[in-house]
Amino acid sequence: MIIDIDVLLDYGIPERHDVLLQVEAAAMADQRLLSSTLTVTSPERLRAVEGEESIGQRTWAAGLGQFRVEYRARVEIDRARVDLRHLRANDPRMLPALVVPYLLPSRYCESDKFEAFVTREFSGFGGGQKIMAMLDWMTTHVDYVSGSSSGDTTAAGTFVQRQGVCRDFAHLLASMARAAMIPARLVAAYAPDVTPPDFHAVIEVWLDSSWHLVDATGMAQADEIVRIGVGRDATDIAFMTVFGSAQMFEQRVTVTRG
């Protein structure tokens, strides 16, 4: 599967501030970069640093006045869809060191608040079957509503409001998975058919000793998702962090099948 990506970020930054970008597709075994160009209007030299778990990279820039980011890439995905129902959960005591943190609560994923609910609602399921049961529950009980949440909305807030956008769906599913002792991490991604077109948030769950992509909104399939970066929650996978104030003029994300 070939995926073409075209991104434009056009912002105004009135005073000089540091900016941390995370927009480039990650080069990984199951997604190969055929081409990739990043152009940033920065008065200072860009500096690339590794992303979480050395997946992808972040780019430091300086913003002053018009701050414009253009990113284009063509990515070849070599990843089959997997039926999660056949995958088993791993013994938490035997998890690799890098996986263990994804069992723990984080700023937007208060998994400890979901333990009683998960135990009661999904007690008859195990491993991947439990994740699929959680997805079924979310399809029935949570609505995708653009603009229904803010940057402060956590998984608990989404659970109460029963609506949200992709990052809210990802936070809620990750929280429920962690409450069930299944490691889950947030993934910043590109994918076709995302409505409205934008940066997308999905999760990966650790089953049968490997990570598996899951889109809680149902808009993207695992064999068409391009990872940008991973982390505990939205804090770690933000596409742009401005250490100061900024005004958005235009933001466009176009993802198509090649």
Side-chain angles (χ1 to χ4, degrees), residues 79-208:
R79 182 189 312 125
R81 297 186 190 183
V82 175
D83 187 349
L84 298 184
R85 293 178 179 85
H86 302 307
L87 304 181
R88 63 180 180 83
N90 293 99
D91 183 343
R93 297 169 299 174
M94 302 304 292
L95 292 173
L98 287 176
V99 177
V100 172
Y102 299 111
L103 281 175
L104 305 176
S106 59
R107 177 180 177 183
Y108 293 102
C109 296
E110 318 103 304
S111 53
D112 52 321
K113 296 181 179 179
F114 289 89
E115 291 174 0
F117 169 76
V118 166
T119 298
R120 183 178 63 252
E121 189 74 20
F122 307 110
S123 61
F125 303 94
Q129 290 182 342
K130 184 167 289 191
I131 297 298
M132 295 305 297
M134 292 173 180
L135 283 169
D136 290 342
W137 183 91
M138 291 183 64
T139 298
T140 303
H141 294 92
V142 186
D143 296 323
Y144 188 99
V145 180
S146 296
S148 60
S149 63
S150 71
D152 296 324
T153 303
T154 67
T158 302
F159 183 79
V160 172
Q161 297 166 11
R162 299 297 168 98
Q163 61 182 12
V165 296
C166 64
R167 66 170 252 163
D168 304 311
F169 276 64
H171 284 152
L172 181 53
L173 182 58
S175 297
M176 292 196 294
R178 293 177 192 176
M181 296 299 288
I182 296 174
R185 65 187 184 187
L186 268 283
V187 180
Y190 294 113
D193 302 328
V194 171
T195 305
D198 205 343
F199 296 99
H200 198 41
V202 300
I203 76 166
E204 284 184 304
V205 291
W206 184 266
L207 294 167
D208 262 340

